[in-house]
Amino acid sequence: MSNTAVIYSNTEEVYFDAEAGKEAPPKLTISVNSGRVTYLDDYDVPIPAPVGVSVVKMAPDIVILNTGKRTTELRRGNPIKCWASVRKNKTKPGGKDDWHFVGELKSHDQGGRIRVGGGESGAPAAMFRMRTVYWPQPSTSRPSKVLYIHTAEDPERAVSYSWANIDASRVGVNLRWIQVSCTIEGAERESQITKDTFRG
């Protein structure tokens, strides 16, 4: 995607409609670049436009689409940049763990998915995704950035997850067999620790 492209997704509406027992809209993710709309799959790969889906409203933070049966709200995604390391199936000579490391992985915080491992990497296939979650009332859960880890055996149900405050600039997780760290681009903040305040 171009650096000027903005991604929108209805991941949150789909999730909470299903959780409430309502008929959820189809999962839709789009990239908007200079007014041009491109539809994407869960891994941000362009796909053909769904039949019967049209744009109702386009604003900086949301896009509303008509699916033919209902409207659905797509929220703006913040770009994220991640690294991941998956433990390989075989150890190094001498018995130490060997790791498959990949950096500069890019997606967004509205459910965008990233695959790592598998194939000739020597490590098991895994997938992770990030959501920016605002729980609907009457939930008392605080808005959060949530990072989910999935295996190839069950790409829908997370095997684990971690979370941070809604305005966090970075979220990570270490499950001993996989490590992931994601930075929300544009939210980075310099450390407040100096040589005078460090107490380690």
Side-chain angles (χ1 to χ4, degrees):
M1 292 295 131
S2 162
N3 290 334
T4 59
V6 179
I7 291 181
Y8 298 82
S9 179
N10 67 348
T11 295
E12 296 307 292
E13 187 173 75
V14 170
Y15 178 85
F16 287 116
D17 276 4
E19 190 176 64
K22 302 176 182 177
E23 183 177 354
K27 171 77 163 52
L28 295 167
T29 300
I30 62 172
S31 170
V32 179
N33 193 345
S34 300
R36 182 180 177 182
V37 174
T38 302
Y39 288 84
L40 308 173
D41 69 8
D42 288 341
Y43 297 90
D44 302 335
V45 176
I47 58 173
V51 176
V53 175
S54 59
V55 176
V56 175
K57 177 183 178 181
M58 195 173 288
D61 291 327
I62 66 165
V63 171
I64 297 177
L65 300 180
N66 189 319
T67 68
K69 292 184 176 181
R70 57 173 287 179
T71 58
T72 182
E73 182 178 295
L74 284 67
R75 297 182 185 176
R76 181 177 181 144
N78 296 300
I80 62 173
K81 183 168 63 176
C82 310
W83 62 259
S85 190
V86 186
R87 190 176 62 210
K88 293 186 177 183
N89 299 317
K90 295 182 180 179
T91 59
K92 293 180 179 180
K96 288 189 176 181
D97 287 338
D98 197 4
W99 294 84
H100 170 65
F101 175 87
V102 187
E104 299 297 318
L105 298 166
K106 295 191 175 185
S107 189
H108 57 89
D109 66 354
Q110 288 294 318
R113 298 174 181 239
I114 298 175
R115 291 189 187 97
V116 289
E120 298 180 359
S121 69
M127 182 270 288
F128 61 92
R129 61 190 172 97
M130 183 181 287
R131 289 172 59 199
T132 295
V133 188
Y134 289 88
W135 278 270
Q137 294 182 346
S139 174
T140 57
S141 296
R142 295 178 179 178
S144 302
K145 298 282 188 186
V146 188
L147 178 62
Y148 298 87
I149 305 295
H150 298 257
T151 62
E153 290 74 25
D154 192 347
E156 295 306 319
R157 183 177 177 82
V159 295
S160 188
Y161 59 91
S162 63
W163 66 92
N165 192 42
I166 193 67
D167 62 355
S169 62
R170 186 168 52 187
V171 185
V173 65
N174 183 348
L175 300 180
R176 301 300 181 185
W177 66 272
I178 184 172
Q179 302 174 56
V180 176
S181 178
C182 291
T183 297
I184 295 83
E185 296 193 70
E188 300 97 326
R189 295 185 294 275
E190 291 186 8
S191 174
Q192 300 302 306
I193 297 174
T194 68
K195 64 180 182 180
D196 297 320
T197 61
F198 179 64
R199 295 292 181 264

